[in-house]
C-alpha cells in the first residue's frame, strides 16, 4: 500500500477520534492515543517518584477540578476538591455509586459466580443494600460500638503496652505491632479468635493482607489490557499483580478454612462471631436474607472486612505516632488534656467528647494521612452530566480524597500539621465538611464506627502511658509514603517510647 495513503488514513482516523471526543463533551485531559490511551500520563506515573494521587493533584492544576484520561479505551474521570466529589457521589449518588467491572477477577472470587460482596460490588441495587444492611446489623449485634468490642481493643492495647515496655527505652518499630492490634480485633469479630503476636500463622495472615493491597489499584494497566500488553507499560506492576493473585488465593483458602471450621462446630444457642451470625441467618433468616446472604457473599464480605477494617486503621495509627514524634508540642498538649480530664485510669470510648484537643489532633491526622487518597474507585452506572461535562456510562470515577484534604481553597497552609484548625475561637471542636477520610455518600466506609473507636482508644491510651520521640534527636523520620501501595502507608521508621509516670 502506498505510504501516503497510509498516512492519510492514520490522520483521518486520529482526527475522527478527536472530534468524537469533542462531541462527547468529555472533561479536558492529557493527549490520548487511540486504543492505547493516555500513554504520556501513564509513563509519567511510572517514572515519577511521587504517588499517583500526588501526580493527579498536580494535573488538576492544569485541567481543573474534573479531568479525564484513558487507559486503553477505558475513560477515567478524576474529581478534585470536596465540592465536585460531593456533587458526584452524594447529590448524584444514583449515577456514580457503581464500582468498576474488571475482567481479571482474583481466582477465589470466581468460585462464587454472582457473589459480589459490598466493597467492590459493581451494582448499586437492592441486593447490595440488603447485604450492607445485614452486615452492619451483624456488626452492631456482635458489639461494634459497644462495651464488648471496647474490651477487646483495651486488651490489645494492654498487650501492646507490654511489648513496648520490653523495648526498655531502645528504638523499636511500632508499625508491625499496631497491625497486630488491629488485626486481632478484626479476627475476634469475624472468627472469634486472636493470635499471640509471635504466632507464625498470624504473621502469614498479616503478610497476605499487605500484599493484597499493594500495586496501583484501579489505575493499573493490568486491569484493562491483556497481560502481555500490560507488561510493555509497566513490568514492575505486572510482577506485583502476580504476587497479589497468589495472595488472594492464599487469603481465600484461609477464610474458607475458618468458615468450614465454624460450620462443623456451629451452635445456634451460642453465637460466637460474625461467621456464626451468617450461619444462623441461613437457618432462620427471612427469604430475602437467604437470597442475598449466600456463602459466596459472606466470603466476599469477610474479605472486605479484612481489607477495609485492618489495613486502613493501622495505617492511620502509624501516621498518628509519626506525627507525634515530628510535632512534640502537639503530643504534649494531648497528654496534658488526657491527664487533666481522665487522670490515671484507662481512657474509655465514653470519654471521647471530653477530649477536645485530642479529637482535633485525630482529625488532623486523618487529613494529613490520606489513607485511601484516591478513594475506592466508583463507576458511572449511567450516562450523566457532572459540572458542565458529559460522563459516559461505565466511566471509572476517581474521587481524590487527597485533593479534598489538601485544597488551599478550603484549608489554610494545608501542608502544615495543625490540629488548631479544627478548633473555634472559644476552643470548641468544629466540623469541616472537606474532611472525608471515610468517603461520603452511600458507599461510605463500612468499618467507620469500628475504626473510629480503635483509633481513639489506641491513640489516647498509648499517649497516656508513653512519650514518643525520634530514634535519634534532630533526625526526624520522613513523611514520604511507601511506594507500590494502594493505601497511603508511611515509610518504615523507628521511634523511642519512654514510660510516663
Amino acid at each position: 500500500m502506498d505510504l501516503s495513503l497510509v498516512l492519510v488514513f492514520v490522520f483521518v482516523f486520529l482526527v475522527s477520534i478527536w472530534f468524537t471526543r469533542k462531541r462527547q463533551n468529555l472533561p479536558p485531559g492529557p493527549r490520548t492515543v487511540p486504543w492505547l490511551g493516555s500513554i504520556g500520563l501513564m509513563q509519567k506515573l511510572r517514572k515519577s517518584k511521587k504517588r499517583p494521587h500526588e501526580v493527579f493533584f498536580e494535573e488538576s492544576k492544569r485541567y481543573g477540578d474534573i479531568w479525564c484520561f484513558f487507559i486503553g479505551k477505558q475513560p477515567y474521570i478524576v474529581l478534585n476538591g470536596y465540592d465536585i466529589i460531593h456533587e458526584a457521589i452524594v447529590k448524584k449518588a444514583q449515577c456514580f455509586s457503581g464500582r468498576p467491572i474488571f475482567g481479571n477477577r482474583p481466582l477465589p472470587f470466581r468460585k462464587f459466580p454472582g457473589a459480589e460482596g459490598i466493597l467492590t460490588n459493581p451494582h448499586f441495587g437492592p441486593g447490595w443494600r440488603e447485604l450492607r444492611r445485614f452486615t452492619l446489623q451483624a456488626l452492631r449485634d456482635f458489639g461494634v460500638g459497644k462495651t464488648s468490642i471496647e474490651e477487646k481493643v483495651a486488651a490489645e492495647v494492654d498487650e501492646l503496652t507490654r511489648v513496648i515496655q520490653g523495648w526498655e527505652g531502645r528504638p523499636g518499630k511500632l508499625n508491625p505491632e499496631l497491625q497486630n492490634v488491629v488485626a486481632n480485633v478484626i479476627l475476634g469479630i469475624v472468627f472469634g479468635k486472636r493470635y499471640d503476636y509471635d504466632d507464625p500463622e498470624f504473621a502469614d495472615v498479616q503478610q497476605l493482607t499487605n500484599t493484597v493491597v499493594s500495586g496501583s489499584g484501579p489505575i493499573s494497566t493490568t486491569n484493562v489490557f491483556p497481560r502481555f500488553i500490560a507488561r510493555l507499560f509497566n513490568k514492575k506492576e505486572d510482577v506485583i499483580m502476580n504476587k497479589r493473585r497468589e495472595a488472594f488465593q492464599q487469603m481465600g483458602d484461609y477464610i474458607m478454612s475458618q468458615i468450614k471450621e465454624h460450620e462443623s462446630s456451629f451452635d445456634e444457642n451460642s453465637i460466637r462471631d460474625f461467621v456464626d451470625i451468617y450461619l444462623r441467618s441461613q437457618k432462620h433468616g427471612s427469604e430475602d436474607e437467604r437470597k442475598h446472604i449466600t456463602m459466596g457473599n459472606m466470603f466476599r464480605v469477610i474479605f472486605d472486612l479484612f481489607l477495609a477494617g485492618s489495613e486502613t486503621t493501622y495505617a492511620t495509627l502509624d501516621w498518628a505516632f509519626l506525627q507525634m514524634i515530628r510535632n512534640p508540642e502537639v503530643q504534649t498538649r494531648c497528654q496534658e488534656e488526657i491527664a487533666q480530664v481522665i487522670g490515671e485510669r484507662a481512657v474509655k470510648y465514653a470519654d471521647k467528647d471530653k477530649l477536645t484537643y485530642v479529637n482535633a489532633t485525630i482529625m488532623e491526622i486523618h487529613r494529613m494521612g490520606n489513607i485511601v487518597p484516591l478513594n475506592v474507585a466508583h463507576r458511572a452506572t449511567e450516562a450523566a452530566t457532572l459540572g458542565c461535562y458529559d460522563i459516559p456510562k461505565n466511566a471509572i470515577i476517581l474521587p481524590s480524597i487527597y485533593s479534598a484534604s489538601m485544597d488551599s481553597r478550603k484549608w489554610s497552609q494545608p501542608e502544615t500539621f495543625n490540629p488548631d484548625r479544627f478548633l473555634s475561637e472559644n476552643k470548641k471542636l468544629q466540623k469541616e465538611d472537606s474532611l472525608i477520610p471515610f468517603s461520603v455518600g452511600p458507599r461510605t466506609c463500612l468499618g467507620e464506627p469500628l475504626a473510629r473507636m480503635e483509633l481513639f482508644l489506641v491513640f489516647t491510651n498509648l499517649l497516656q502511658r508513653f512519650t514518643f520521640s525520634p530514634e535519634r534527636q534532630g533526625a526526624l523520620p520522613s513523611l514520604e509514603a511507601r511506594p507500590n501501595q494502594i493505601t497511603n502507608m508511611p515509610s518504615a521508621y523507628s521511634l523511642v517510647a519512654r514510660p510516663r509516670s
Side-chain angles (χ1 to χ4, degrees), residues 12-254:
V12 171
F13 177 72
L14 293 177
V15 170
S16 66
I17 291 291
W18 186 81
F19 273 109
T20 299
R21 178 171 176 177
K22 285 297 181 183
R23 284 201 300 273
Q24 289 178 327
N25 189 33
L26 290 174
R31 291 181 179 179
T32 298
V33 176
W35 309 108
L36 294 179
S38 307
I39 57 176
L41 177 65
M42 300 311 294
Q43 287 294 93
K44 182 184 292 187
L45 288 169
R46 184 174 68 86
K47 294 179 179 180
S48 177
K49 294 182 180 179
K50 295 183 178 181
R51 301 289 303 281
H53 61 274
E54 295 173 311
V55 174
F56 287 176
F57 191 49
E58 291 177 350
E59 296 294 306
S60 72
K61 297 173 183 176
R62 180 184 309 174
Y63 300 118
D65 287 344
I66 312 176
W67 60 278
C68 173
F69 70 95
F70 284 77
I71 300 180
K73 296 186 292 183
Q74 175 63 58
Y76 286 72
I77 312 298
V78 184
L79 308 182
N80 297 272
Y82 172 78
D83 292 338
I84 195 64
I85 291 173
H86 186 268
E87 180 182 344
I89 60 180
V90 176
K91 292 182 178 179
K92 296 187 176 181
Q94 195 62 39
C95 303
F96 298 113
S97 292
R99 294 290 195 209
I101 303 173
F102 296 124
N104 56 348
R105 302 175 72 198
L107 182 61
F109 297 169
R110 299 179 209 161
K111 294 179 180 179
F112 301 103
E116 302 290 356
I118 297 175
L119 181 65
T120 57
N121 192 325
H123 308 295
F124 181 61
W128 174 83
R129 291 189 180 92
E130 174 59 27
L131 187 59
R132 183 180 172 90
R133 182 207 63 77
F134 171 86
T135 302
L136 286 171
Q137 185 60 52
L139 292 174
R140 281 193 291 267
D141 289 347
F142 190 67
V144 172
K146 298 180 181 178
T147 305
S148 55
I149 293 299
E150 184 169 350
E151 290 171 352
K152 289 182 183 294
V153 178
E156 296 301 330
V157 173
D158 289 343
E159 181 62 29
L160 177 54
T161 298
R162 285 189 284 273
V163 170
I164 296 174
Q165 288 171 338
W167 296 352
E168 297 181 340
R170 296 184 298 272
K173 293 187 183 299
L174 199 55
N175 173 284
E177 311 304 341
L178 292 170
Q179 188 175 15
N180 290 337
V181 169
V182 175
N184 260 339
V185 173
I186 285 290
L187 286 164
I189 293 171
V190 177
F191 298 136
K193 67 188 302 181
R194 80 172 297 277
Y195 288 95
D196 292 334
Y197 289 179
D198 58 358
D199 190 310
E201 184 176 78
F202 194 31
D204 290 342
V205 173
Q206 308 282 49
Q207 183 57 50
L208 290 174
T209 305
N210 293 340
T211 303
V212 165
V213 298
S214 61
S216 300
I219 59 174
S220 171
T221 54
T222 58
N223 291 322
V224 176
F225 292 115
R227 184 177 173 185
F228 73 95
I229 295 179
R231 282 177 61 86
L232 299 176
F233 283 93
N234 194 336
K235 190 175 294 185
K236 180 186 288 187
E237 182 69 16
D238 182 67
V239 172
I240 293 172
M241 284 301 295
N242 282 336
K243 292 180 179 178
R244 288 189 71 205
R245 292 185 186 100
E246 293 174 7
F248 266 110
Q249 180 62 51
Q250 293 175 49
M251 194 74 169
D253 292 343
Y254 173 77

Side-chain angles (χ1 to χ4, degrees), residues 4 30 44 89 91 120 143 168 184 192 232 263 269-270 312 367 427 443 451:
S4 61
K44 182 184 292 187
I89 60 180
K91 292 182 178 179
T120 57
E168 297 181 340
N184 260 339
L232 299 176
E263 287 179 325
N269 295 314
S270 178
T312 54
R367 189 189 70 82
K427 301 302 179 182
R443 290 279 193 172

